[in-house]
Amino acid sequence: MYNTEIKENYLHYLVSSSFDFLGPYTKELFDVAQKFEEQVNSDIAYFSEEKLLEVYTALDLKSINVLRQKYILSLNKYINWFQEKVDKTVKKNIISTEKLYRCLSGTKVSWKHFSKEAINAIISNLNQITSAFIVYAIYSGLRGKNLEELILLKESDINLSDKTVAVHRVENDSIIVHRIIHVDDMFIKLAQKANAEMEFYDDRDRLLGTYENSPFILKKRTGTPQISEYAACRDYIKVMHSSVKSRIDRLNSRKNTYENLSISSLHNSGIVNYMGEIQNLLNYNPLTDEYNMVIKSVAEKYGVSIEKVKKLVEENNIM
């Protein structure tokens, strides 16, 4: 083993800990990692994401659950100990579910959803900020009936101090706040730029028209039939839902773009990737109360049922 004394001390510590069951997996991980550690003259605790993926591939596993619940958990526990006993500056790597799938052997992976990297690539290729915001907002959890949560969003609903958004829906012809969600810097940046965007262009950057002034981030195009946002909010949402859906359909129909891009696939991708990030970070066991709490919080963030989150978790072997 590389850094033999340190690793033997850790294995000895592991025997007397509540994670003694990880001993065999930790030892195997150390043995497999040795050649990679010698290549870069560095302990696995310092490995980059790229180097860790090489180690995980060398483990020759077929199940992402085994990879996560035995080997990644083993590494994370080792890093916790390493931070306390050797170097407190060491940090863990959080690797996306899609990248972990690529480490598996003998398995043809059919990735049903878009990774965060794919979402970023889609956004970077769009010449309209409003379209980019629509993609990212749905991915981040805004949906609701006829996309009402996205359509009713105003920049004033965003709390910059704690990076939260007041999400609205229609109830008895009134617009009410029904949940608060956390968002990231990308969401806020795109929302602010989309709110300021007053012109729209075609794919060749030719000016096609302008947007009307509106308190909402997503605005109607000038010349479209006037609808009172508050007096007939359901009709307004219906009109705007058609506009948003058309944008997504146009993105999906472009040559050399991503297949199966839809409102559902964007929203589900957000759920799948968010759950994957939590699992990589916290290594929750599916049988614990903590796991059920995570499922509940994800369901609340994305405005879906607990059953739907569990189904997506099972379909994509997240836990």
Side-chain angles (χ1 to χ4, degrees):
M1 288 185 293
Y2 186 88
N3 268 354
T4 302
E5 184 177 353
I6 289 177
K7 288 189 170 67
E8 286 183 346
N9 286 341
Y10 175 69
L11 290 172
H12 179 72
Y13 153 80
L14 203 57
V15 171
S16 58
S17 75
S18 59
F19 292 94
D20 59 312
F21 65 95
L22 292 176
Y25 309 112
T26 305
K27 178 64 166 58
E28 182 181 0
L29 180 67
F30 288 165
D31 289 341
V32 171
Q34 182 176 353
K35 72 174 183 178
F36 299 100
E37 291 174 314
E38 292 173 348
Q39 287 173 1
V40 295
N41 193 28
S42 177
D43 193 277
I44 190 174
Y46 295 101
F47 272 17
S48 64
E49 176 183 294
E50 181 181 1
K51 212 64 185 175
L52 281 178
L53 289 173
E54 291 183 34
V55 175
Y56 295 156
T57 301
L59 286 169
D60 195 30
L61 302 172
K62 295 184 179 181
S63 167
I64 196 168
N65 289 336
V66 172
L67 174 59
R68 277 198 170 118
Q69 296 173 16
K70 295 180 179 179
Y71 296 95
I72 294 179
L73 178 59
S74 295
L75 177 61
N76 286 341
K77 294 302 178 183
Y78 173 60
I79 291 177
N80 289 343
W81 179 87
F82 198 93
Q83 289 172 330
E84 181 180 348
K85 302 294 184 180
V86 183
D87 184 354
K88 65 181 180 181
T89 66
V90 169
K91 295 182 179 179
K92 298 175 185 176
N93 280 286
I94 301 174
I95 303 177
S96 71
T97 300
E98 184 178 17
K99 290 180 179 179
L100 292 178
Y101 266 119
R102 294 173 186 167
C103 298
L104 304 180
S105 66
T107 304
K108 183 178 180 181
V109 177
S110 177
W111 184 247
K112 300 178 181 178
H113 306 294
F114 298 101
S115 65
K116 182 68 174 289
E117 292 85 353
I119 295 296
N120 290 336
I122 293 170
I123 289 172
S124 66
N125 287 325
L126 297 178
N127 63 347
Q128 293 187 53
I129 293 297
T130 297
S131 294
F133 174 66
I134 287 171
V135 168
Y136 201 72
I138 296 172
Y139 174 81
S140 299
L142 295 188
R143 190 173 180 180
K145 184 178 181 180
N146 291 326
L147 290 176
E148 62 183 353
E149 295 177 350
L150 171 60
I151 292 166
L152 296 175
L153 184 69
K154 297 180 287 187
E155 187 173 346
S156 59
D157 294 326
I158 303 173
N159 187 325
L160 298 178
S161 63
D162 61 4
K163 297 181 182 179
T164 59
V165 170
V167 182
H168 294 76
R169 71 179 179 191
V170 176
E171 189 172 293
N172 298 324
D173 291 327
S174 297
I175 299 174
I176 64 167
V177 176
H178 76 107
R179 74 179 194 277
I180 305 292
I181 66 170
H182 288 273
V183 294
D184 58 15
D185 292 333
M186 176 68 81
F187 182 101
I188 295 172
K189 178 181 177 181
L190 290 174
Q192 291 172 331
K193 288 188 174 183
N195 193 49
E197 189 172 57
M198 295 304 298
E199 298 176 338
F200 58 92
Y201 299 79
D202 64 13
D203 292 342
R204 296 182 180 180
D205 288 330
R206 294 177 298 192
L207 179 64
L208 295 181
T210 59
Y211 295 112
E212 296 179 351
N213 289 322
S214 169
F216 302 119
I217 292 176
L218 300 189
K219 302 169 177 62
K220 298 199 302 337
R221 295 180 178 183
T222 302
T224 54
Q226 293 294 309
I227 299 175
S228 172
E229 286 90 339
Y230 291 94
C233 52
R234 292 188 188 279
D235 290 336
Y236 176 74
I237 290 170
K238 185 176 180 180
V239 169
M240 290 302 296
H241 173 258
S242 178
S243 174
V244 172
K245 189 175 183 303
S246 294
R247 284 180 184 258
I248 299 295
D249 290 343
R250 287 197 298 274
L251 294 179
N252 193 31
S253 64
R254 289 180 183 177
K255 293 181 179 179
N256 302 318
T257 191
Y258 297 88
E259 296 181 358
N260 303 319
L261 183 66
S262 67
I263 293 168
S264 292
S265 66
L266 286 171
H267 194 247
N268 289 344
S269 295
I271 297 173
V272 169
N273 294 330
Y274 188 57
M275 280 296 304
E277 290 172 6
I278 293 176
Q279 171 63 4
N280 286 340
L281 179 64
L282 302 176
N283 290 290
Y284 280 130
N285 185 305
L287 300 179
T288 63
D289 290 338
E290 288 85 354
Y291 165 77
N292 291 324
M293 290 174 61
V294 169
I295 290 287
K296 182 180 178 181
S297 67
V298 172
E300 290 173 351
K301 174 177 171 61
Y302 285 86
V304 297
S305 67
I306 291 175
E307 288 70 28
K308 176 170 182 175
V309 177
K310 287 184 176 180
K311 181 179 179 181
L312 287 171
V313 166
E314 292 171 359
E315 288 177 350
N316 293 276
N317 295 316
I318 296 174
M319 291 295 189

